Amino acid sequence: MEVVIKRDYGQMSKAAAQLVVDVLNTKPNAVLGMATGSTPLGLYQELVRLHQAGQVDFSRVTTFNLDEYVGLPANHPQSYHYFMHEHFFQHVNIPRHNINIPSGTTSNYPAFCQWYERRIEECGGIDLQILGIGSDGHIAFNEPGSSLSSRTRLKTLSKQTIDDNARFFDAREDVPVYAITMGVGTILDARKLVLVASGKTKAKAIAQAVEGPVTSMVTASALQLHRDASVLVDEEAAAGLTMRDYYEFIYAAKPAAPRA
Ligand code: PGA
């Protein structure tokens, strides 16, 4: 696993955006896995800026989002459909029919989950998956206890996640209890993983994910099983890492990515 420590949120977001651009430079029709939450916002802003400056083209890109709240229609302001449209899709040129987000309102969840997995496969698999991390160590909505080989399915949100996400809703009771989410196994099938984390509330989860044992109690620790995973953190999120000097030594010696 590559660990990249940046001075602040802005630098971290720029470095993450550059990893996406590097993939698009070598594969303009790449399949991107998208994440929601506050943390990837800076990364999306940077990609939008680069797109508007003519430096990155999304016209051949396909996307798959990690998850969606069960029960929220696409036009609900807290749905992940709405989030992605607001913060990213309306600002770039991804063809509408290439955008895939799990449905929060399907009448048949098992069938939808199977279809979503099949659709990822039919599109050739995910080239780069963007990830955030929950303060309980989750990736997507794979809460503690999720099987490390799980596939897209319904999950019950943990109390911690409901508390964390209550800030976006009028009341804690309004936070949906269920979500449809890619599984840890689905995520591990992506060719490259890029996890972003910022702020001191993430320091413990990052230390556990990067330096703790691989365990379903911290599903982000499954990144240790992946051959090409980058964890990008700011100073505050890096605070619990014990091998920091080593990560910085490796990163400083890394050659720049080849340009197409
Ligand atoms: P956040 O969410 O970026 O809003 O902190 C991260 C997550 O739960 O994956």
Side-chain angles (χ1 to χ4, degrees):
M1 181 185 315
E2 175 186 56
V3 181
V4 180
I5 302 165
K6 291 288 176 183
R7 190 175 65 240
D8 56 28
Y9 177 72
Q11 295 297 316
M12 182 203 75
S13 301
K14 280 203 164 99
Q18 192 55 50
L19 292 178
V20 176
V21 171
D22 288 346
V23 165
L24 293 179
N25 277 339
T26 50
K27 188 174 180 186
N29 62 344
V31 177
L32 299 180
M34 315 305 282
T36 50
S38 340
T39 316
L41 277 176
L43 152 62
Y44 293 144
Q45 272 162 19
E46 178 62 9
L47 288 176
V48 168
R49 189 187 71 75
L50 290 169
H51 172 68
Q52 286 169 352
Q55 290 177 41
V56 58
D57 172 42
F58 293 93
S59 63
R60 296 173 62 199
V61 164
T62 297
T63 63
F64 285 90
N65 263 79
L66 286 170
D67 46 18
E68 178 58 286
Y69 287 117
V70 165
L72 297 195
N75 63 358
H76 188 289
Q78 295 311 330
S79 77
Y80 290 163
H81 280 76
Y82 190 92
F83 176 102
M84 288 308 299
H85 180 74
E86 277 297 292
H87 297 293
F88 191 56
F89 293 142
Q90 69 167 326
H91 306 292
V92 296
N93 62 337
I94 301 171
R96 181 68 198 92
H97 59 270
N98 286 5
I99 293 172
N100 301 279
I101 306 178
S103 168
T105 53
T106 174
S107 57
N108 186 339
Y109 281 96
F112 182 88
C113 292
Q114 275 184 20
W115 174 82
Y116 202 68
E117 289 278 335
R118 225 175 26 246
R119 177 111 186 96
I120 294 172
E121 239 179 81
E122 282 165 7
C123 292
I126 293 171
D127 291 297
L128 180 148
Q129 175 66 58
I130 299 163
L131 296 165
I133 184 170
S135 60
D136 65 358
H138 71 204
I139 44 173
F141 274 125
N142 293 289
E143 301 290 34
S146 293
S147 161
L148 300 186
S149 58
S150 49
R151 312 303 303 189
T152 303
R153 70 214 183 290
L154 284 186
K155 275 303 287 183
T156 307
L157 270 52
S158 72
K159 186 179 166 305
Q160 180 69 55
T161 298
I162 293 174
D163 287 345
D164 288 350
N165 292 1
R167 69 190 193 277
F168 299 113
F169 292 82
D170 291 339
R172 189 182 186 280
E173 296 68 52
D174 295 342
V175 183
V177 174
Y178 301 103
I180 179 168
T181 180
M182 279 190 208
V184 181
T186 320
I187 292 167
L188 290 178
D189 282 349
R191 290 179 195 97
K192 181 173 184 61
L193 303 179
V194 175
L195 185 146
V196 284
S198 162
K200 53 182 185 294
T201 58
K202 300 293 172 67
K204 183 168 171 231
I206 283 292
Q208 289 177 328
V210 174
E211 297 180 342
V214 175
T215 168
S216 63
M217 296 311 287
V218 179
T219 53
S221 66
L223 266 67
Q224 295 176 34
L225 301 170
H226 197 276
R227 278 184 291 187
D228 187 356
S230 297
V231 174
L232 277 66
V233 290
D234 64 7
E235 287 287 347
E236 287 187 342
L241 294 171
T242 61
M243 299 276 286
R244 176 191 175 122
D245 292 350
Y246 182 56
Y247 308 138
E248 289 185 325
F249 176 62
I250 296 170
Y251 189 65
K254 189 184 170 187
R259 302 267 153 220

